Amino acid sequence: MNKLLLTTSCALISLSSSAVMAQSIDYGMMQELFGEPVTTSATGKPQRMSDVPVTMEILTADDIRRSGAVNLPEVLRQVNGVNVIQSSTQSYDVSIRGYNQPLSQRLLVLVNGRQVYLDHYGYTAWSTIPVQLEEIRQIEVVKGPNTALFGFNAVSGVINIVTFNPLYDDVSSAGITVGTQDFRKAHYVQSLKLSDKIGVRISASKRESDAFDSSLNGFAAAGTVDPEQESLNLDAMYQMTDKSQMRLEISGSNVKQTDEISTAPFVVDYETKSAKLSYELDSDWGLIKASAYKNFLDWGYASSVGSGNLDNEILVVQLEDTIQLNDAHTVRLQGEYRENEVTGAGIVADGAEISYQVYAAGGMWNWSINDALSWTNAVRIDHLQLDHNGILTAANPFSASDFDRSITEFSYNSGVVWKASENDTFRLSTARGLEVPSLLGYGLDAVSGPVTIVGKPDLDPAIVTNYELAWDRKVDFVENGLFRAAVFHQKTQDVKTLQSSLTFPVYNSDNIGDSTSYGIEASLDGSVGENFDWGLGYIYQKTNDDLDNTVAGVQSSAKEYEKRNPEHQLKLKLGYHNGAWEADALAYYASGTEHTTADFSFDDVDGYIGVNARVGYTFDNDVTLAVSAMNAQSASVETTPNPDVERRMFVSLSKKF
Amino acid sequence: MRLGKTLCILSTVCMFSFSAYADTKKDFETIATAVGFIDGGPKGAVQMDILYDASNADSTAHAEEVAGIVAGGVGSKVKLTGNKITSVDAATSKVIFVTRGAGSLYGAALAKAGANGGLTVSTDMACLGGGCVLVVKTKPSVDIFVSSAAAGKTATEFASAFSMMITKK
């Protein structure tokens, strides 16, 4: 490890002293220049959204504000193909193109490239993400596997949250929001330009509310809690030279909420901390980025069956170089080192540590064949070394030597973009992504009374392959019309689960088979005059499972994707803006599903409609008063076997300064 | 009657022709932003030389049009204004805008830009390569074209991130 850091440092010092040219990407300036959002998420190379070789949607700061949402999942709900389920007032799971479930492990969520999904179990607790909606420049939603560029977990897609740049953007604001369920939230964002070369942005927030209580639908009341959340973030950028920048990001959050874990409600506490240092250099050797960050998680749970806690520490060191070889060819080389370790009580044996190290290397090649045709290929190899130190519980059927195991897997992305005309763009792509087992998937080791729960050290990664054809067309029968369509076929091999058994151990991790899904999604966006805009999106998805969810003929696992993936989802957005006024609404529909309950029977959930809406007015002094509602159409609606989702209304007052 | 029809058709063609070629403020905002990404390039207020061929009516009209658009200054980090010139020898700016119909001046303009430590720019695709380093088009979408050969002659290099987003010819 020290050797790697030393090598990295030497390389950076060496490159710093070489001849250099120009500055790193300024998203705001690029967006203004090209008239559309710009991203580096698809290939690592800066690209306009219309040029990327993957199916991607970008939500801008305007989209975020106009959604009226008080949290990220409700912002993401407006994206066609994104599925959002809500387990409690504050607990959400988000997936792209189905396969959603509590503690969903298929999505890679990043803030400025730093992973914010929680690595002990590979899921995202959205309320722990320590950035305010007001400091987000854009949210990039990449659909389909993207492991070759981002690393594992990017199997159903990537959500990259890009905050405003503290050096370029002034986004100071403060606000309060109150609402039903006794919701209270205050936020503060301050941009500070300390000099021409140093910019800092700090933000903080605190929110509380009551738990949903209209209908618990069998959820144990003991597992519900009034949620709380507080977060703090510091983001500082230093322009070292005209060609190089250093960025420091420090953040933390404290969260208490109800999560659904293995079909039962748990009261969960999260305490997260992170520190990231990154460096960018525009050199004769290309656009070089180096970053190192460490995430800390202190996680605890309590439920009717017991309690436990764990500490998870992750260190990630990344180095990449994007080089434009000539007018037609751009390549990107990347290397990554990762340490991930869990210790705890009631989760693993007291004093024991389960950990792995990952060494990864990858490359991307973008070939602009001509003005109309480009081809992008990326490949990455991950080598994971698993380890276990300390004792195992007496009930664990595995020994420490079983954890002495390594995995080497490759992933790829390949996509052709054909701009057939000024109005038509086609994308043909394929990808192979990795969903590596979480540390608890490998090494969970808990005994609670008669219940034993163990991981499985020889668990295999789930492999997701995707084939996709997409078409974007600017249409002239509606004003500013953009039609987007995609057909896709996706196969997941070696689906992982935590399954129960009537015999010992009571719960254990295992691979249980494959699942295949295919679908079509289409959307049409347009405007009417200068003041109205609208969008309509639809996705049809059919899933076929080949999963063994039984042990000795008894249903033992909750993985029934063909039952819980909604086949039809529809979204309609309407927007109006005129001077100081903004009014927006999102209506969404998901067809009926069947969900597994705590006793592994199935519960029908009827198709449901939801409506989110916001009306806002901005006064001359940059004070905005807004009224918004989530699930506005109904006092409560059943969307999962968890508590009904209640109507929520909010009034917010904020000021930019 | 026939004359009337002919004039009508001609005027329509002229209007269409003018409209097809008409530059906009967005064109020059795009040029100003692109110039801001040149390594070691000009910053702040830049008085751009607007080079036109006085013997060519289209070129002269284009020069007038451009001078009018940038009269109040266009751009932020680089703020462009204009100064019409008919001779390459009169060019002193690091940014020389080459108008339509000034084909006879291409080679000299490029050489002069190189000598001034700057570049030639235009909204006319015909200029790319032979006379211009950078040409912009903003309708129906923004496209920025850079001639690698011309850029080589003027030693113009762009920031890597920006360079990866433009079309090189």
Side-chain angles (χ1 to χ4, degrees):
Chain A
M1 174 60 205
N2 291 337
K3 194 174 177 181
L4 179 68
L5 282 173
L6 183 63
T7 308
T8 306
S9 304
C10 289
L12 291 178
I13 291 165
S14 162
L15 289 166
S16 297
S17 60
S18 66
V20 291
M21 323 170 291
Q23 64 209 56
S24 65
I25 187 168
D26 176 347
Y27 283 91
M29 183 182 285
M30 293 290 196
Q31 181 173 334
E32 190 182 329
L33 176 63
F34 291 107
E36 61 179 307
V38 167
T39 178
T40 60
S41 291
T43 62
K45 163 187 169 179
Q47 289 177 297
R48 294 191 249 186
M49 194 180 82
S50 58
D51 287 342
V52 298
V54 293
T55 302
M56 171 188 271
E57 312 263 352
I58 295 182
L59 297 172
T60 65
D62 285 346
D63 296 325
I64 295 167
R65 182 188 67 253
R66 292 177 62 175
S67 72
V70 297
N71 55 46
L72 282 161
E74 292 292 353
V75 172
L76 292 165
R77 198 188 282 280
Q78 64 188 289
V79 179
N80 194 32
V82 167
N83 180 251
V84 178
I85 57 173
Q86 188 172 5
S87 300
S88 66
T89 323
Q90 191 170 273
S91 179
Y92 288 85
D93 285 283
V94 176
S95 75
I96 296 172
R97 293 175 176 167
Y99 292 91
N100 208 358
Q101 62 185 28
L103 312 186
S104 178
Q105 299 178 320
R106 296 168 61 93
L107 194 61
L108 178 60
V109 184
L110 308 163
V111 172
N112 298 328
R114 177 181 73 85
Q115 73 170 59
V116 291
Y117 74 89
L118 304 174
D119 234 338
H120 68 294
Y121 200 63
Y123 70 101
T124 301
W126 291 89
S127 51
T128 65
I129 297 176
V131 294
Q132 306 308 307
L133 297 179
E134 292 77 6
E135 61 184 321
I136 298 174
R137 166 173 287 287
Q138 63 192 39
I139 302 175
E140 302 167 349
V141 181
V142 184
K143 299 177 182 179
N146 225 326
T147 301
L149 287 161
F150 289 96
F152 45 74
N153 264 28
V155 289
S156 73
V158 179
I159 292 179
N160 190 21
I161 299 163
V162 179
T163 62
F164 284 102
N165 188 310
L167 196 58
Y168 304 142
D169 304 309
D170 183 350
V171 290
S172 299
S173 72
I176 55 170
T177 304
V178 296
T180 53
Q181 289 85 19
D182 203 19
F183 182 87
R184 292 149 285 154
K185 179 191 173 191
H187 87 269
Y188 179 74
V189 180
Q190 177 74 60
S191 296
L192 298 166
K193 197 77 181 286
L194 301 182
S195 74
D196 287 347
K197 294 186 173 181
I198 301 176
V200 177
R201 190 187 65 256
I202 54 173
S203 69
S205 74
K206 183 172 177 62
R207 71 177 186 227
E208 296 176 351
S209 70
D210 291 345
F212 290 155
D213 59 5
S214 59
S215 174
L216 295 177
N217 293 328
F219 237 47
T224 62
V225 67
D226 292 341
E228 300 171 6
Q229 189 261 12
E230 55 192 25
S231 67
L232 186 65
N233 186 41
L234 179 145
D235 188 353
M237 178 83 88
Y238 171 43
Q239 185 84 41
M240 301 174 73
T241 69
D242 286 349
K243 342 292 185 201
S244 62
Q245 293 175 331
M246 183 83 78
R247 189 172 193 173
L248 174 68
E249 295 163 86
I250 298 173
S251 63
S253 62
N254 289 316
V255 169
K256 175 179 281 190
Q257 65 186 32
T258 298
D259 283 348
E260 182 187 350
I261 301 177
S262 190
T263 70
F266 285 62
V267 176
V268 179
D269 288 288
Y270 298 89
E271 182 181 332
T272 73
K273 299 186 192 77
S274 79
K276 179 184 177 189
L277 189 64
S278 52
Y279 175 79
E280 288 192 25
L281 173 68
D282 190 351
S283 78
D284 282 342
W285 296 20
L287 201 56
I288 296 167
K289 296 180 186 176
S291 65
Y293 63 85
K294 191 150 188 174
N295 290 351
F296 302 86
L297 169 68
D298 183 351
W299 180 85
Y301 76 90
S303 77
S304 55
V305 297
S307 62
N309 63 78
L310 63 78
D311 291 315
N312 180 207
E313 292 185 15
I314 308 147
L315 170 69
V316 179
V317 180
Q318 296 166 318
L319 181 64
E320 67 174 57
D321 188 10
T322 308
I323 313 160
Q324 191 167 31
L325 298 175
N326 54 40
D327 295 353
H329 299 280
T330 302
V331 297
R332 178 200 194 204
L333 305 172
Q334 61 180 148
E336 181 177 310
Y337 171 77
R338 173 184 295 256
E339 284 179 353
N340 187 11
E341 61 187 46
V342 161
T343 56
I347 302 291
V348 295
D350 287 358
E353 176 188 291
I354 176 83
S355 65
Y356 62 60
Q357 295 177 313
V358 176
Y359 299 88
M364 182 281 296
W365 166 46
N366 173 250
W367 178 20
S368 296
I369 299 168
N370 55 44
D371 287 352
L373 198 61
S374 66
W375 186 23
T376 303
N377 294 286
V379 66
R380 171 173 161 137
I381 295 175
D382 285 273
H383 176 77
L384 182 151
Q385 179 64 52
L386 185 64
D387 195 17
H388 186 282
N389 290 308
I391 61 168
L392 293 161
T393 59
N396 197 315
F398 299 101
S399 66
S401 62
D402 291 322
F403 289 86
D404 184 14
R405 183 195 174 206
S406 66
I407 298 169
T408 302
E409 284 284 357
F410 74 98
S411 52
Y412 64 77
N413 284 80
S414 181
V416 173
V417 179
W418 176 39
K419 292 194 166 184
S421 72
E422 286 199 328
N423 292 324
D424 296 281
T425 301
F426 293 89
R427 291 183 303 278
L428 181 64
S429 61
T430 180
R432 181 184 201 261
L434 299 180
E435 184 190 330
V436 171
S438 66
L439 280 175
L440 294 187
Y442 284 126
L444 188 60
D445 188 13
V447 178
S448 178
V451 178
T452 58
I453 309 172
V454 298
K456 188 177 182 187
D458 59 350
L459 204 59
D460 288 325
I463 307 292
V464 181
T465 48
N466 189 72
Y467 305 93
E468 181 161 342
L469 176 63
W471 173 36
D472 295 350
R473 178 170 174 80
K474 293 173 187 168
V475 294
D476 53 13
F477 59 88
V478 295
E479 202 172 332
N480 294 315
L482 177 63
F483 172 76
R484 309 191 80 192
V487 290
F488 59 90
H489 178 275
Q490 192 174 103
K491 181 172 184 180
T492 304
Q493 296 168 270
D494 291 327
V495 170
K496 301 179 276 77
T497 193
L498 187 66
Q499 64 182 358
S500 72
S501 170
L502 298 175
T503 58
F504 172 82
V506 176
Y507 286 90
N508 68 282
S509 301
D510 209 350
N511 298 106
I512 57 168
D514 305 336
S515 180
T516 304
S517 187
Y518 61 89
I520 180 167
E521 63 182 31
S523 65
L524 181 62
D525 294 272
S527 59
V528 179
E530 292 184 352
N531 303 120
F532 292 93
D533 50 83
W534 57 272
L536 184 63
Y538 169 73
I539 178 170
Y540 168 79
Q541 185 170 10
K542 184 74 177 172
T543 305
N544 295 306
D545 289 336
D546 182 13
L547 302 172
D548 184 1
N549 270 303
T550 61
V551 173
V554 177
Q555 182 79 24
S556 60
S557 166
K559 304 276 175 165
E560 293 281 1
Y561 295 118
E562 65 185 44
K563 292 180 177 174
R564 72 179 306 155
N565 278 352
E567 283 193 8
H568 306 274
Q569 292 185 78
L570 190 64
K571 297 182 182 181
L572 171 64
K573 288 187 288 183
L574 298 172
Y576 169 79
H577 60 98
N578 188 357
W581 285 99
E582 290 178 335
D584 294 88
L586 166 72
Y588 54 92
Y589 165 77
S591 59
T593 51
E594 290 180 65
H595 292 248
T596 323
T597 58
D599 61 359
F600 296 121
S601 62
F602 289 96
D603 186 6
D604 286 335
V605 175
D606 294 336
Y608 61 91
I609 293 173
V611 176
N612 294 353
R614 171 186 181 266
V615 176
Y617 182 84
T618 301
F619 297 89
D620 290 341
N621 54 1
D622 271 341
V623 170
T624 299
L625 178 65
V627 178
S628 62
M630 305 290 112
N631 198 44
Q633 83 294 340
S634 172
S636 67
V637 62
E638 184 183 15
T639 61
T640 69
N642 303 329
D644 284 358
V645 176
E646 297 175 3
R647 177 189 293 129
R648 307 180 73 186
M649 300 192 68
F650 308 98
V651 178
S652 70
L653 188 66
S654 63
K655 176 172 172 54
K656 291 181 179 175
F657 51 88
Chain B
M1 183 64 185
R2 179 173 287 178
L3 178 64
K5 269 189 178 176
T6 307
L7 284 174
C8 179
I9 290 167
L10 280 176
S11 67
T12 306
V13 169
C14 286
M15 280 177 64
F16 177 78
S17 174
F18 179 79
S19 137
Y21 280 106
D23 289 345
T24 63
K25 190 178 177 188
K26 174 70 178 171
D27 290 315
F28 293 90
E29 288 170 343
T30 303
I31 290 173
T33 306
V35 168
F37 282 104
I38 296 173
D39 180 44
K43 297 283 187 291
V46 174
Q47 189 180 58
M48 168 176 76
D49 287 322
I50 305 169
L51 179 64
Y52 68 102
D53 181 350
S55 65
N56 183 303
D58 189 28
S59 182
T60 304
H62 192 196
E64 290 292 341
E65 178 191 336
V66 173
I69 292 170
V70 301
V74 174
S76 52
K77 284 186 177 176
V78 172
K79 192 162 189 146
L80 295 174
T81 53
N83 174 43
K84 290 186 294 176
I85 58 171
T86 55
S87 164
V88 166
D89 293 336
T92 57
S93 174
K94 285 181 180 291
V95 182
I96 301 174
F97 182 91
V98 183
T99 59
R100 290 189 307 271
S104 61
L105 303 172
Y106 282 174
L110 193 58
K112 184 66 174 175
N116 289 354
L119 80 165
T120 45
V121 301
S122 185
T123 52
D124 180 14
M125 279 300 289
C127 185
L128 189 68
C132 290
V133 174
L134 182 144
V135 174
V136 303
K137 177 176 80 67
T138 56
K139 288 184 177 177
S141 58
V142 174
D143 283 300
I144 299 170
F145 300 93
V146 168
S147 163
S148 298
K153 287 178 183 172
T154 56
T156 303
E157 293 190 49
F158 292 93
S160 293
F162 179 75
S163 183
M164 291 173 192
M165 298 188 65
I166 58 183
T167 305
K168 294 184 179 174
K169 297 278 189 181

